[in-house]
Amino acid sequence: MAQRYVRVQNLEGKIYYGLLQLSLNVQVLDAPPWLQGQPTDLIIEPENYQILTPCAPSKVVAVGKNYADHAEEMGSTVPQEPLIFLKPSTSLIATETEIMYPPQSQRVDYEGELALVIGDRTCDCTIEEAQTKIWGYTIANDVTARDLQQKDGQWTRAKGFDTFCPLGPWIVRELNPGARLQTFLNEDVTPVQSAGIDQMVFAPDALVSYISQVMTLLPGDVVLTGTPMGVGQLHEGDRIRIEIEGIGRLENKVARR
């Protein structure tokens, strides 16, 4: 199994980066792993920590309509260039944390996505350089108030509510280019989304290069790479699970805000 890098909070409220062991113990690192954090002798047992989002980015840069079939289901075509937008860092929540359904919306959708974690300051980089700037991979849910997205004509409100960016549960360093992303709703064994990440229109290195021409990406920043066909509505009480082969599963329940 690939090493799993986590971020946890102990019972005293102190936050650590660490390596998740098979026993679910966490071996603490002395710094974030992309800043050359090294293992220490401190071990935290499962009953003594809460898992957090695996990084604390300065920003989350997301990409819209990066799968052709999703663009089609949204009634549009694939953009000529990556379509980028921002989600606030305050929208981030960990796995097993509740997505809060805001009273302003009558239609909140899930969007399962592969997320990239940036490991180095990245500005004006080439596609070749971009691959070295991607430190690892995790899972995201780009939760969207679809009615507000259509009403507003721009996406800040629809994408930016608190709890609208579940991320995690951990980061892995390597990923099979053809790994499958699947989204499951409640107890249904048939996925509502299922696609290979190699079906993206713009590959991860191309996205990072493109974004770096616009804004500097900092260590620990997150890039969401777009969602495949099959997005759909969430309701209060629903449980949404996103799985990516080689990473794991991100699972959240929906509650009324």
Side-chain angles (χ1 to χ4, degrees):
M1 178 181 287
Q3 286 190 315
R4 298 172 292 175
Y5 293 85
V6 293
R7 183 169 155 266
V8 299
Q9 185 172 37
N10 71 6
L11 300 180
E12 289 73 44
K14 190 166 183 181
I15 295 173
Y16 298 96
Y17 287 91
L19 281 166
L20 185 65
Q21 301 173 335
L22 289 176
S23 62
L24 301 184
N25 287 345
V26 171
Q27 183 176 21
V28 169
L29 304 176
D30 59 12
W34 43 89
L35 299 181
Q36 288 73 56
Q38 297 300 310
T40 68
D41 293 333
L42 178 59
I43 302 291
I44 310 177
E45 297 177 342
E47 61 272 18
N48 293 326
Y49 69 79
Q50 174 186 356
I51 195 163
L52 305 175
T53 58
C55 54
S58 75
K59 55 188 169 295
V60 177
V61 187
V63 179
K65 302 176 184 177
N66 197 28
Y67 289 78
D69 54 5
H70 172 60
E72 183 178 351
E73 78 173 341
M74 299 305 290
S76 61
T77 57
V78 173
Q80 296 282 316
E81 299 177 297
L83 176 61
I84 62 174
F85 58 95
L86 293 172
K87 289 177 82 82
S89 59
T90 47
S91 66
L92 289 161
I93 57 170
T95 191
E96 298 296 345
T97 305
E98 289 181 332
I99 298 166
M100 305 306 288
Y101 205 119
Q104 296 95 324
S105 176
Q106 304 303 311
R107 171 67 189 254
V108 172
D109 285 7
Y110 58 80
E111 295 189 8
E113 309 202 5
L114 171 69
L116 317 175
V117 179
I118 302 300
D120 191 15
R121 184 181 177 90
T122 305
C123 180
D124 290 328
C125 76
T126 65
I127 290 177
E128 292 72 27
E129 292 168 335
Q131 189 56 52
T132 70
K133 305 293 187 178
I134 300 170
W135 191 87
Y137 306 89
T138 188
I139 305 170
N141 187 350
D142 176 19
V143 182
T144 303
R146 193 70 68 199
D147 52 350
L148 301 183
Q149 183 184 30
Q150 294 165 352
K151 176 182 178 182
D152 292 351
Q154 54 84 22
W155 302 359
T156 302
R157 181 165 67 138
K159 302 278 192 176
F161 283 100
D162 289 355
T163 75
F164 269 28
C165 192
L167 187 75
W170 43 69
I171 301 166
V172 299
R173 294 298 315 273
E174 296 181 354
L175 192 64
N176 185 323
R180 183 153 291 273
L181 180 157
Q182 294 187 304
T183 302
F184 298 87
L185 191 58
N186 297 318
E187 301 305 316
D188 198 337
V189 297
T190 302
V192 289
Q193 292 182 288
S194 183
I197 59 173
D198 54 2
Q199 293 174 238
M200 289 180 198
V201 177
F202 302 103
D205 49 4
L207 293 176
V208 170
S209 173
Y210 180 86
I211 294 165
S212 80
Q213 317 296 320
V214 179
M215 65 190 81
T216 299
L217 293 166
L218 302 177
D221 278 354
V222 169
V223 174
L224 309 188
T225 59
T227 195
M229 181 178 69
V231 300
Q233 190 170 6
L234 290 170
H235 299 89
E236 184 179 356
D238 280 348
R239 195 165 186 85
I240 186 77
R241 185 176 86 249
I242 302 161
E243 299 183 357
I244 298 180
E245 287 178 314
I247 303 179
R249 61 171 59 179
L250 172 69
E251 196 160 355
N252 300 88
K253 191 174 179 181
V254 181
R256 181 63 57 176
R257 181 168 174 172

